[in-house]
Amino acid sequence: MGHPFPIREIARQAGLSEATVDRVLNGRGGVRESTAYEVRRAIADLDRQRTQVRLVGRTFMCDIVMQAPERFSTAVRTALEAELPALHPAAVRCRFHFRETGPADELTGTLDRIARRGSQGVILKAPDVPEVAAAVSRLTTAGVPVVTLATDLPTSPRVAYVGIDDRAAGATAAYLMGEWLGDRPGNVLTSLSSGFFRNEEEREMGFRGVMRARHPGRALVETAEGQGLDATQYDLVRAALERDPGIRAVYSMGGGNIATLRAFADLGRPCDVFVAHDLDQDNTRLLRERRLSVVLHHDLRQDLREACRHVMRAHGALPPAGPARPSAIQVVTPHNMPPDTATA
């Protein structure tokens, strides 16, 4: 397991003791495979963040905790690690805790371990449920500032939310849907990954409000709890299409779009308009292939830069700033894709 990093740095990155890391590196045994994996992952993270390790300045060790499909977590990791060198002379180092789904107690267990171990900050994407809000309170009591990313926990003592105005995004989706469908008949499938994510709930409210006001005769058919995962999403969408032969368009608030399109194709059904969120790897390809009509996107690098700055402000390393402003909503078509995604 060759590497150029001191055991002390690996232990800090992994959140383990130096003795445990030493046993793993030297193959002394007595260590669970899951612990050895944590050490290998820490070395890989350090290698990607090598520039930050060498920077001179105050170091902030942050934990990125996310419940999201792998495609979105990967996009966040890539955006954050691309942004880290721009935070010079401060050095922000990151530990990643990603999962696609699971019970709330596993997520709160991760947050509680971080509170016990210590951290300069947590950047969190999680369901808006009381257990998670309580865990954020415990982190705050332990002196760990929490910034929510992409979806908020407004009843928790988080220091800031970073992301778009989701109600405005939903209203934008409804405007585009109405303009593109025009007078053609057809119902609209609305797809949420989970009703417990605040951002999707806000998007749905914005979408329904505009559709009700401007297109009251067009029915909205809801699917939910697919977790944005293709395997579960396919079954939900196929069942909805079989129940309702009038569905002709989709507003996807939570992903799983490859599976949604496959369900339409397998039943020989057209999808006249498809509005989605976020230029992750899947949506970039689908938009380039003209299988999505439009993607509502925001600059993840800017969001993560702001999240890191909020952590620094919480520690007094940057001067106070005014209330955080929502990220700009970008309406992306195949003809105006950002340069860093156009060839993804």
Side-chain angles (χ1 to χ4, degrees), residues 14 19 22 71 110 119 137 159 190 197 204 219 226 233 258 279 286 295 298 335:
D22 182 71
R71 59 183 173 271
T110 297
S119 176
S137 294
V159 297
T190 63
F197 284 105
E204 183 186 34
Q233 183 71 7
I258 289 176
L279 279 176
L286 293 173
V295 172
H298 57 287
H335 303 287

Side-chain angles (χ1 to χ4, degrees), residues 228-308:
L229 305 177
D230 287 340
T232 49
Q233 183 71 7
Y234 177 86
D235 292 337
L236 288 170
V237 173
R238 180 164 182 143
L241 292 174
E242 289 173 341
R243 288 193 305 269
D244 188 336
I247 296 174
R248 299 290 296 272
V250 175
Y251 174 38
S252 172
M253 291 160 261
N257 299 327
I258 289 176
T260 297
L261 287 165
R262 182 159 55 88
F264 272 86
D266 286 353
L267 293 174
R269 297 273 291 277
C271 183
D272 295 335
V273 181
F274 197 130
V275 181
H277 278 269
D278 300 318
L279 279 176
D280 57 32
Q281 187 174 11
D282 285 356
N283 285 346
T284 296
R285 178 169 62 84
L286 293 173
L287 185 61
R288 191 169 61 239
E289 294 171 353
R290 310 301 200 267
R291 298 173 69 192
L292 300 180
S293 307
V294 67
V295 172
L296 301 180
H297 181 60
H298 57 287
D299 188 342
L300 273 178
R301 287 185 60 169
Q302 177 182 326
D303 287 352
L304 289 158
R305 184 190 321 137
E306 286 304 308
C308 291

Side-chain angles (χ1 to χ4, degrees), residues 2 13 35-36 41 48 72 76 113 115 121 159 221 234 266 309:
Q13 184 74 29
T35 302
R41 188 174 69 175
R48 282 194 305 272
F72 187 72
V76 167
R113 284 192 294 274
V159 297
V221 181
Y234 177 86
D266 286 353
R309 287 175 174 167

Side-chain angles (χ1 to χ4, degrees), residues 123-145:
I123 299 173
L124 176 64
K125 180 185 183 296
D128 183 14
V129 295
E131 301 96 305
V132 174
V136 171
S137 294
R138 292 191 290 273
L139 280 163
T140 302
T141 300
V144 181

Side-chain angles (χ1 to χ4, degrees), residues 78-244:
T78 300
L80 177 58
E81 291 180 342
E83 197 60 32
L84 292 181
L87 299 171
H88 180 76
V92 176
R93 299 261 302 282
C94 300
R95 295 180 290 235
F96 298 95
H97 314 267
F98 293 161
R99 68 183 209 153
E100 290 195 303
T101 187
D105 59 352
E106 290 181 5
L107 181 58
T108 59
T110 297
L111 297 175
D112 287 339
R113 284 192 294 274
I114 292 170
R116 291 192 298 269
R117 182 188 62 205
S119 176
Q120 272 72 56
V122 169
I123 299 173
L124 176 64
K125 180 185 183 296
D128 183 14
V129 295
E131 301 96 305
V132 174
V136 171
S137 294
R138 292 191 290 273
L139 280 163
T140 302
T141 300
V144 181
V146 177
V147 178
T148 52
L149 173 71
T151 185
D152 200 9
L153 300 169
T155 63
S156 75
R158 49 77 170 143
V159 297
Y161 160 70
V162 175
I164 60 175
D165 179 336
D166 285 292
R167 194 170 297 218
T172 300
Y175 172 80
L176 295 171
M177 184 70 70
E179 292 296 306
W180 286 341
L181 282 176
D183 295 330
R184 287 177 291 174
N187 301 332
V188 179
L189 182 74
T190 63
S191 173
L192 295 84
S193 70
S194 172
F196 293 107
F197 284 105
R198 171 73 60 163
N199 64 330
E200 295 182 27
E201 182 183 60
E202 293 282 341
R203 290 170 187 176
E204 183 186 34
M205 287 190 288
F207 186 79
R208 285 185 178 276
V210 171
M211 291 296 289
R212 189 181 301 115
R214 295 175 59 91
H215 311 284
R218 200 178 292 280
L220 305 182
V221 181
E222 179 181 314
T223 62
E225 304 309 318
Q227 305 302 321
L229 305 177
D230 287 340
T232 49
Q233 183 71 7
Y234 177 86
D235 292 337
L236 288 170
V237 173
R238 180 164 182 143
L241 292 174
E242 289 173 341
R243 288 193 305 269
D244 188 336

